[in-house]
Amino acid sequence: MARTLFEKLWDNHVVTDEPGEPALLFIDLHLIHEVTTPQAFDGLRLAGRKVRRPDLTIGTMDHNTPTTGKPATNPLAVAQLDALAANCEEFGVPLFPLFSGREGIVHVIGPEQGLTQPGMTIVCGDSHTATHGAFGTLAFGIGTSEVEHVLATQTLLQRKPKSMRVHFEGKLPTGLTGKDMILGAIGQLGVAGGVGYAFEYTGEAIRALSMEGRMTVCNMSIEAGARAGMIAPDETTFAYLKGRPAAPQGADWDAAVERWRALASDEGATYDAEVVIDVRALEPQVSWGTNPGMVAPISGHIPNPADIADPGDRDALERALHYMDLKPGTAIRDIAIDRVFIGSCTNSRIEDLRAAAAVAAGRHVSPSVYAMVVPGSALIKKQAEEEGLDRIFTEAGFDWRYAGCSMCLAMNEDTLQPGERCASTSNRNFEGRQGRGGRTHLVSPEMAAAAAIAGHFVDVREFDLAAVGA
Amino acid sequence: MNPLKKVTGRVAVLDRPDVDTDQIMPKQFLSRIERTGFGQFLFWDWRFEEDGTLRDDFPLNNPAVAGAKILLAGRNFGCGSSREHAPWGLQDYGFDVVIAPSFADIFASNCTKIGFLALRLPEAEVHALMAEVDGRNGSELTVDLETLTITSPAGRTIPFELDPSIQRRLVEGLDDIGLSMLQGAAISAFEAKRVPTPDTVALAARR
Ligand code: SF4
């Protein structure tokens, strides 16, 4: 029978499937970080359990780490980082600690090391785990009780989600990015449109994306409510993986590619739902509200609550505009910003940094703006410095920082002040996400860099871009 | 995990759609490495002014709903971050049940793991219940997990649906990990035939 990519991934990992019960799925890779694991390790200790497969588990430090290049000083952060190190030591789990040179955002280091390979199941106590779906994996975020479950058993109890094909129709216009595609899709689907589904992204525009762009798309699946999002592997995937530290080598590589090719959805396979997103007329996207579905094209305007019929939706819109301090009818271009954040597991990879640097080169950040660039991992930071991107950024007046999650969730010292407005390449614009009272607008790295320079939102396609990077 | 069979208690109403887990449990409290004590931080930015005084525009601050055990909420409750600290906070604050038209997937699954019920009802029914709750003086309702019925403040009986495997786990207080540990032989058999995937220990050792 014709099967989808998702069905193949699911079927390949079912350990037990008893009627009426959730399936027990085997997990090929468990990524852990300091924030969602201490209570899970405590649970193991209390029950006298071991980590079943330390060799399929890896830790990094990212959420609560400073981006100054200095050790953490906040006592709570120190305690959490120390707890992760001690837990990994005690249970034999490998860890890339701060300053090891291989640490970074959990969803950046998996692909970077070649740990993320087509056909795998990958989980992490973080909702953006779907990022890894860009490689044709079934990857999703879990809570701390589930982290403990995976540590103890290397499996997870799951009800099979339904499948939805999210098909991007047409060729993406020049100057647009994976970020614009996914923001446009969430705007169309709504923040709950994917609840209960695993997405598969298809179409010419997806095929044309680099792995970095595909990761950006899959990363934000959760923002449409979908726990997982995936893309069938192809030559782009294989080229990205080849030669990475954990990638197969020699004859093993050829055999693996052979297996990976078979993962694509079969001709005639059916999905539980399908949506089509036309990208031909897509413009760069800017979110204006307090969830990622509240998004508009750069030529657009702030909507008017008076135009909304449903009282609940109208109320939500009014609350969002109040929080964001925006008036109905305001042009997106006329929104002035105070801060720019280029980083997070959505947009902090080398290609993202190159794209932002191409805008920043030879220009200068507006005097009213403080802009920071936070690479996704220590290795990306190193590579960017080898390519001279750090100099482009600092000469343009951006602050070049050490790797980590940083102001994506602002657990460390990198936060917005109340009332500050930020153009951010991260994934969530919830109230207070980047600091209490802070106002977040989600954009692509190119659009963030352009806003930094202009001091307000602007269509990056009006900029002449420099040639940067490798 | 403590069994959850029947809950009778005060009802608090939070009629907003898409309440995300960043609001339920803001990030500044995720640095704690304990599992308990999160209730005091619940809905922090919505409950408190910046100087720490209570905001009187937030429904949970209404003295009439002090000690509420049941939260009636809007659609897509618990969206966003996977942080289990959100259900921990709701439970520690005193809630046993949250009733909403829909929940985000990860949030709903996190709830069932800690003996906390995320109960889905049709949107019209949630609104009907909200209308029955006396906002000024508080009202009580009962959720019975064994009979799968709600008794509304006005005395109506409302049936609800619940995945039988979740119902059994909640009512009997079963621990998923304990149950899955019993599948050790099946897991070993699966491991023996699976295609190997990267060895993280070997990777980390390589420099
Ligand atoms: S960058 Fe943001 S979304 Fe990504 S893992 Fe870190 S905190 Fe989560």
Side-chain angles (χ1 to χ4, degrees):
Chain A
M1 213 186 87
R3 289 184 302 164
T4 61
L5 165 63
F6 164 68
E7 285 168 321
K8 293 179 190 184
L9 293 171
W10 180 272
D11 293 349
N12 287 347
H13 291 88
V14 173
V15 176
T16 64
D17 200 1
E18 285 161 32
E21 289 294 312
L24 196 62
L25 284 190
F26 193 82
I27 302 303
D28 295 320
L29 179 64
H30 185 193
L31 300 158
I32 65 173
H33 60 83
E34 71 274 20
V35 177
T36 53
T37 55
Q39 295 88 352
F41 281 109
D42 281 347
L44 288 187
R45 253 188 302 269
L46 263 172
R49 290 171 179 147
K50 294 194 305 240
V51 174
R52 184 180 176 99
R53 297 295 301 266
D55 60 326
L56 304 182
T57 313
I58 192 156
T60 185
M61 295 178 174
D62 55 0
H63 282 64
N64 215 345
T65 56
T67 56
T68 52
K70 301 201 182 82
T73 50
N74 175 316
L76 285 174
V78 171
Q80 202 164 48
L81 295 165
D82 288 351
L84 179 65
N87 284 328
C88 285
E89 174 81 36
E90 179 182 343
F91 289 90
V93 172
L95 171 69
F96 292 162
L98 200 54
F99 308 124
S100 64
R102 289 192 282 185
E103 80 278 22
I105 305 175
V106 67
H107 309 310
V108 173
I109 63 157
E112 173 174 276
Q113 293 290 334
L115 286 169
T116 300
Q117 296 176 12
M120 292 169 64
T121 44
I122 301 179
V123 297
C124 172
D126 184 281
S127 60
H128 292 97
T129 308
T131 312
H132 307 266
F135 292 79
T137 69
L138 176 58
F140 50 91
I142 56 178
T144 298
S145 293
E146 291 178 314
V147 168
E148 187 180 336
H149 192 284
V150 179
L151 289 172
T153 67
Q154 203 56 35
T155 63
L156 204 54
L157 284 163
Q158 286 291 302
R159 286 269 174 217
K160 191 175 177 179
K162 290 178 285 184
S163 64
M164 186 187 295
R165 178 157 84 145
V166 180
H167 185 74
F168 290 93
E169 182 82 43
K171 189 164 173 281
L172 192 68
T174 321
L176 272 83
T177 66
K179 185 64 163 285
D180 302 304
M181 287 167 65
I182 190 64
L183 282 173
I186 298 164
Q188 187 172 325
L189 280 159
V191 290
V195 171
Y197 289 96
F199 286 167
E200 181 180 345
Y201 301 102
T202 61
E204 181 189 347
I206 289 286
R207 289 288 141 225
L209 285 178
S210 64
M211 285 316 294
E212 281 89 344
R214 294 179 188 184
M215 284 189 254
T216 303
V217 170
C218 290
N219 174 274
M220 291 190 72
S221 303
I222 184 74
E223 261 56 70
R227 211 167 168 181
M230 62 200 76
I231 294 171
D234 60 11
E235 297 309 320
T236 305
T237 323
F238 310 145
Y240 178 97
L241 275 173
K242 195 162 183 156
R244 299 216 170 241
Q249 288 170 0
D252 287 348
W253 169 261
D254 297 333
V257 170
E258 192 68 26
R259 274 199 315 277
W260 295 342
R261 281 189 207 286
L263 291 168
S265 290
D266 298 327
E267 193 82 41
T270 54
Y271 300 82
D272 297 306
E274 301 205 24
V275 291
V276 175
I277 317 282
D278 191 339
V279 300
R280 281 168 293 208
L282 199 68
E283 290 180 41
Q285 302 284 305
V286 181
S287 81
W288 47 262
T290 51
N291 74 48
M294 296 172 166
V295 65
I298 180 66
S299 68
H301 297 81
I302 302 299
N304 192 338
D307 299 337
I308 310 281
D310 180 83
D313 290 344
R314 187 168 56 233
D315 189 50
L317 175 55
E318 273 166 1
R319 281 182 54 81
L321 294 187
H322 175 76
Y323 182 85
M324 294 297 289
D325 191 28
L326 291 169
K327 302 258 169 318
T330 306
I332 298 289
R333 289 177 162 271
D334 292 341
I335 301 173
I337 55 160
D338 311 300
R339 301 277 296 260
V340 169
F341 171 65
I342 297 176
S344 89
C345 59
T346 315
N347 282 123
S348 63
R349 298 178 186 84
I350 191 70
E351 190 180 274
D352 301 312
L353 303 188
R354 286 183 195 138
V359 177
R363 299 191 170 91
H364 205 277
V365 171
S366 164
S368 58
V369 172
Y370 167 73
M372 67 197 297
V373 185
V374 184
S377 70
L379 283 170
I380 290 173
K381 178 171 186 285
K382 186 159 160 259
Q383 185 181 354
E385 288 169 0
E386 281 162 11
E387 293 182 12
L389 303 184
D390 59 324
R391 251 180 312 113
I392 294 176
F393 283 123
T394 48
E395 279 167 17
F398 288 82
D399 198 358
W400 176 250
R401 312 285 291 194
Y402 202 84
C405 294
S406 179
M407 213 166 64
C408 173
L409 91 164
M411 265 188 89
N412 66 0
E413 295 74 23
D414 308 338
T415 64
L416 293 182
Q417 295 306 307
E420 276 189 329
R421 190 180 296 285
C422 180
S424 177
T425 66
S426 56
N427 42 52
R428 287 194 173 128
N429 50 352
F430 296 150
E431 287 183 31
R433 171 79 178 181
Q434 296 191 295
R436 184 169 184 157
R439 301 176 177 128
T440 302
H441 296 267
L442 305 174
V443 287
S444 70
E446 289 88 328
M447 286 290 285
I453 285 150
H456 58 89
F457 292 108
V458 49
D459 192 334
V460 68
R461 293 175 298 179
E462 293 161 14
F463 282 59
D464 290 325
L465 301 183
V468 302
Chain B
M1 201 164 95
N2 294 327
L4 191 68
K5 293 190 165 101
K6 188 175 189 171
V7 181
T8 298
R10 281 265 165 90
V11 191
V13 175
L14 185 60
D15 186 12
R16 298 178 186 179
D18 306 316
V19 171
D20 59 79
T21 52
D22 273 76
Q23 309 314 317
I24 301 172
M25 190 54 58
K27 42 70 192 331
Q28 62 267 36
F29 309 113
L30 308 188
S31 289
R32 303 175 77 252
I33 55 175
E34 304 80 18
R35 191 174 183 139
T36 50
F38 281 93
Q40 55 190 311
F41 310 123
L42 188 73
F43 291 116
W44 184 268
D45 289 357
W46 284 354
R47 257 168 74 207
F48 298 103
E49 298 287 358
E50 220 147 328
D51 63 8
T53 54
L54 285 178
R55 291 172 63 154
D56 47 15
D57 64 347
F58 189 60
L60 260 54
N61 290 342
N62 175 358
V65 301
K69 287 186 174 170
I70 294 152
L71 180 65
L72 276 172
R75 74 181 120 84
N76 197 30
F77 188 82
C79 63
S81 160
S82 57
R83 59 189 71 165
E84 198 168 305
H85 312 69
W88 291 344
L90 287 162
Q91 192 177 49
D92 189 61
Y93 186 84
F95 291 114
D96 286 320
V97 182
V98 52
I99 304 175
S102 57
F103 295 96
D105 289 334
I106 304 179
F107 177 84
S109 119
N110 285 342
C111 290
T112 64
K113 310 289 177 191
I114 63 164
F116 182 85
L117 176 61
L119 194 169
R120 196 171 0 185
L121 278 187
E123 187 144 21
E125 193 56 77
V126 173
H127 283 137
L129 281 176
M130 285 178 176
E132 281 183 35
V133 173
D134 181 335
R136 262 180 326 204
N137 300 315
S139 302
E140 289 204 344
L141 64 74
T142 298
V143 176
D144 190 328
L145 283 82
E146 287 176 305
T147 60
L148 297 180
T149 54
I150 296 170
T151 310
S152 81
R156 292 186 301 128
T157 303
I158 305 154
F160 64 91
E161 286 174 19
L162 188 62
D163 178 327
S165 73
I166 292 174
Q167 181 190 23
R168 191 164 64 89
R169 283 174 168 76
L170 289 174
V171 169
E172 295 176 28
L174 298 177
D175 162 24
D176 269 352
I177 300 176
L179 292 176
S180 295
M181 294 290 285
L182 301 176
Q183 300 289 349
I187 299 170
S188 298
F190 185 93
E191 285 173 324
K193 67 172 180 38
R194 68 186 275 274
V195 180
T197 52
D199 180 334
T200 55
V201 174
L203 174 78
R206 221 175 332 135
R207 258 277 66 167

